[in-house]
Amino acid sequence: NELDELVQTRLPKAEHVVTHLHAIYQSVSGQPEKALEVLDRLEQANRDEGSVRRVISVNISKALTYQTLSDHQQATRAMETAIRLAAPEGYRSVFFPRGTRQTRPLLQAARSIAPAFVDSILQATALADEFSGILPDPLSEQELRVLKLLAAGKSNQEIAGDLVISVGTAKWHVHNVLQKLGVN
């Protein structure tokens, strides 16, 4: 399994990531109660380590899991916890919907915790919903390779080394990728 291999790489916090992914899998595969047990333990472990971002992410997963159980009160409570932690730090992207992970109703239900913060997320996701998913200028094969290396946290120097190109060319590709994706 790729997840098991990730744990064995000894990457920092890989075990937490894999545990979280297993809980999400349990939630979507009809075992939400088991998922919640795992998420509760994972939340405590992340709190003990002082990882606010992971506590936020776990609470979003808990909210979505409670939502599948139609426990709207607990779902809202978990989302409120995530918002309380995220708003002061400006962690918005963790709330963005992805695939079947629909956070919009939960954000709306918990909006009173931090209205301006939640509104900024809802506005950003509304713009993303309007996006057709097709880039006006698609990424080239080389730009896709650069994007994968960027996502892996590689520097321009490391990208250049991995792709056997000059640092200047790597920077040019990185610039093009960011431009095409509309990010900085």
Side-chain angles (χ1 to χ4, degrees):
N1 262 242
E2 289 179 32
L3 292 177
D4 294 329
E5 289 174 19
L6 179 62
V7 170
Q8 293 172 3
T9 63
R10 303 278 188 243
L11 291 172
K13 312 307 176 207
E15 187 175 338
H16 289 277
V17 172
V18 172
T19 302
H20 195 165
L21 290 172
H22 279 295
I24 291 168
Y25 174 76
Q26 288 173 320
S27 179
V28 299
S29 66
Q31 301 173 46
E33 293 85 4
K34 284 184 179 181
L36 287 169
E37 290 174 19
V38 171
L39 290 168
D40 283 339
R41 288 192 307 272
L42 190 56
E43 179 182 6
Q44 189 56 54
N46 288 325
R47 282 187 187 280
D48 292 346
E49 290 181 10
S51 178
V52 173
R53 188 166 178 100
R54 285 197 310 269
V55 172
I56 293 166
S57 185
V58 167
N59 272 282
I60 293 169
S61 294
K62 287 171 73 172
L64 292 164
T65 302
Y66 281 121
Q67 189 176 43
T68 65
L69 291 169
S70 298
D71 188 339
H72 303 294
Q73 185 177 12
Q74 287 288 70
T76 301
R77 193 171 294 135
M79 186 59 79
E80 287 172 346
T81 299
I83 291 169
R84 269 191 204 92
L85 293 168
E89 302 298 324
Y91 292 135
R92 295 178 350 147
S93 64
V94 295
F95 294 94
F96 289 1
R98 292 179 189 94
T100 60
R101 191 186 104 129
Q102 295 305 311
T103 55
R104 178 173 281 127
L106 290 165
L107 285 165
Q108 290 167 335
R111 181 181 176 275
S112 64
I113 297 300
F117 177 72
V118 171
D119 288 347
S120 71
I121 296 167
L122 293 173
Q123 182 180 15
T125 59
L127 292 173
D129 288 345
E130 293 174 15
F131 180 66
S132 68
I134 299 171
L135 292 173
D137 188 10
L139 298 177
S140 69
E141 289 298 317
Q142 184 76 327
E143 289 166 342
L144 287 170
R145 286 189 281 277
V146 168
L147 178 59
K148 287 178 185 174
L149 294 170
L150 277 173
K154 301 269 183 160
S155 68
N156 290 335
Q157 183 75 38
E158 292 168 320
I159 291 170
D162 286 1
L163 298 178
V164 192
I165 57 177
S166 73
V167 174
T169 302
K171 288 180 182 180
W172 181 75
H173 283 305
V174 168
H175 172 78
N176 286 343
V177 167
L178 298 178
Q179 287 286 156
K180 288 180 179 183
L181 297 178
V183 297
N184 56 22

